[in-house]
């Protein structure tokens, strides 16, 4: 177990593991659920599916994979994708997200998006959630509230955050918000610190605590939600009903004219 990350070899990962890899020279990480057989389910921003009729009806990604014919499978208008491990990694290294870590280990991890104090459910349950969401989607992608890490952590834990206005489950998003916040909060303390080292230490401590406070393992605004009920809890079902109602009303208006 590394201090920053948890790099692993391919033969070490197991069914239902939460895996990730870094993109753009460690700028950010991309997360997914390992299904075994070199297959990964992950969540990403939807491409513009309205560019052509063919694009909107095609359930496969445009990229060709020489290894797996079903690599790139997704449902229309969904960002949940089935990929082979090679296409998921894109020549990057492989890392395994850790669950059920102690608070001390969590705080020792300098970078967010590598572990959580929350416990993981069984591999079968994790894979069931991932496959269900592959067929039914995971809503709209949002960098801070509904990203690839949020998707993967939900598959692993089934935990949903009640407060939709706050930051999501993602440790990366918490780090992005936590670092500037820590710097701001520690600024008044510069007058009390005799050296830059003291200021840096205080800022680092606040940064770690802000990450810990937003971890789903310690938050009080989380609930366990069955994957079959996820759409209702997130309001996707209401949105779909409104769309259907609008279509029906439009059709009735055209008929009565």
């Amino acid at each position: 177990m590394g201090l920053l990350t948890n790099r692993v070899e391919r033969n070490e990962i197991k069914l239902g593991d939460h895996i990730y890899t870094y993109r753009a020279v460690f700028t950010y990480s991309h997360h997914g659920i390992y299904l075994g057989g070199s297959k990964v389910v992950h969540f990403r921003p939807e491409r513009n599916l309205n560019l052509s009729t063919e694009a909107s009806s095609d359930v496969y990604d445009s990229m060709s994979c020489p290894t797996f014919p079903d690599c790139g499978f997704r449902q229309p208008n969904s960002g949940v994708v089935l990929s082979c491990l090679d296409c998921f990694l894109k020549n990057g290294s492989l890392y395994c997200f850790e669950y059920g870590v102690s608070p001390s280990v969590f705080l020792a991890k300098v970078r967010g998006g590598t572990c959580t104090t929350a416990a993981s459910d069984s591999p079968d349950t994790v894979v069931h959630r991932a496959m269900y969401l592959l067929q039914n989607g995971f809503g709209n992608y949002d960098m801070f509230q509904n990203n690839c890490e949020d998707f993967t952590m939900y598959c692993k834990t089934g935990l949903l955050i009640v407060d939709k206005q706050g930051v999501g489950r993602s440790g990366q998003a918490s780090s992005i918000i936590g670092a500037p916040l820590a710097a701001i909060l520690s600024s008044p303390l510069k007058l009390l610190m005799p050296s830059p080292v003291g200021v840096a230490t205080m800022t680092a401590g606040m940064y770690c605590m802000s990450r810990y406070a937003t971890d789903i393992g310690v938050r009080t605004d989380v609930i366990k939600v069955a994957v079959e009920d996820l759409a209702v809890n997130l309001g996707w079902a209401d949105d779909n009903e409104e769309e259907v109602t609008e279509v029906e009303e439009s059709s009735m208006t055209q008929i009565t004219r």
Side-chain angles (χ1 to χ4, degrees):
M1 181 177 64
L3 181 60
L4 296 176
T5 59
N6 187 28
R7 185 172 176 175
V8 294
E9 299 298 329
R10 295 193 181 203
N11 59 1
E12 296 181 87
I13 56 176
K14 304 179 293 296
L15 180 77
D17 273 353
H18 174 167
I19 61 175
Y20 62 99
T21 187
Y22 285 100
R23 302 269 199 260
V25 195
F26 287 86
T27 303
Y28 68 96
S29 55
H30 186 56
H31 300 245
I33 294 294
Y34 184 63
L35 302 179
S38 293
K39 299 289 184 68
V40 183
V41 173
H42 54 114
F43 183 51
R44 66 184 189 187
E46 296 177 32
R47 295 183 299 119
N48 186 357
L49 302 178
N50 297 320
L51 293 176
S52 66
T53 304
E54 292 182 359
S56 62
S57 60
D58 187 10
V59 297
Y60 286 87
D61 194 277
S62 59
M63 67 179 183
S64 59
C65 175
T67 308
F68 295 99
D70 56 350
C71 180
F73 171 85
R74 57 171 173 76
Q75 294 292 355
N77 301 314
S78 173
V80 183
V81 186
L82 175 69
S83 299
C84 71
L85 187 56
D86 287 332
C87 291
F88 173 80
L89 293 175
K90 293 184 178 179
N91 297 319
S93 299
L94 176 62
Y95 300 85
C96 190
F97 198 97
E98 297 173 90
Y99 284 81
V101 302
S102 65
S104 59
V105 171
F106 183 91
L107 292 172
K109 296 281 188 177
V110 178
R111 185 160 187 166
T114 60
C115 65
T116 177
T117 59
S120 170
D121 290 327
S122 68
D124 289 341
T125 300
V126 174
V127 171
H128 168 71
R129 290 186 185 124
M131 294 304 295
Y132 183 91
L133 295 175
L134 177 63
Q135 295 299 326
N136 296 275
F138 193 62
N140 296 323
Y141 187 97
D142 185 278
M143 181 182 295
F144 294 105
Q145 293 186 328
N146 201 44
N147 57 38
C148 62
E149 188 181 345
D150 291 314
F151 166 81
T152 314
M153 293 184 76
Y154 171 76
C155 289
K156 288 288 287 185
T157 66
L159 295 177
L160 187 67
I161 295 175
V162 178
D163 182 10
K164 298 180 181 179
Q165 301 303 316
V167 68
R169 293 166 291 270
S170 170
Q172 289 187 94
S174 299
S175 296
I176 294 173
I177 296 173
L181 179 61
I184 292 171
L185 293 177
S186 62
S187 294
L189 298 174
K190 291 179 180 179
L191 299 176
L192 304 176
M193 295 296 174
S195 68
V197 176
V199 175
T201 302
M202 179 62 68
T203 302
M206 289 187 173
Y207 163 72
C208 291
M209 290 308 298
S210 67
R211 280 201 308 110
Y212 181 72
T214 56
D215 180 58
I216 60 169
V218 298
R219 292 179 67 152
T220 58
D221 59 343
V222 295
I223 57 174
K224 195 92 166 182
V225 177
V227 69
E228 294 80 6
D229 299 328
L230 190 61
V232 175
N233 279 272
L234 292 178
W236 304 338
D238 295 337
D239 293 340
N240 291 336
E241 289 177 1
E242 290 177 1
E243 291 177 0
V244 171
T245 302
E246 291 176 359
V247 172
E248 290 177 348
E249 290 177 351
S250 176
S251 299
M252 289 299 294
T253 301
Q254 293 177 1
I255 291 173
T256 55
R257 286 180 177 176

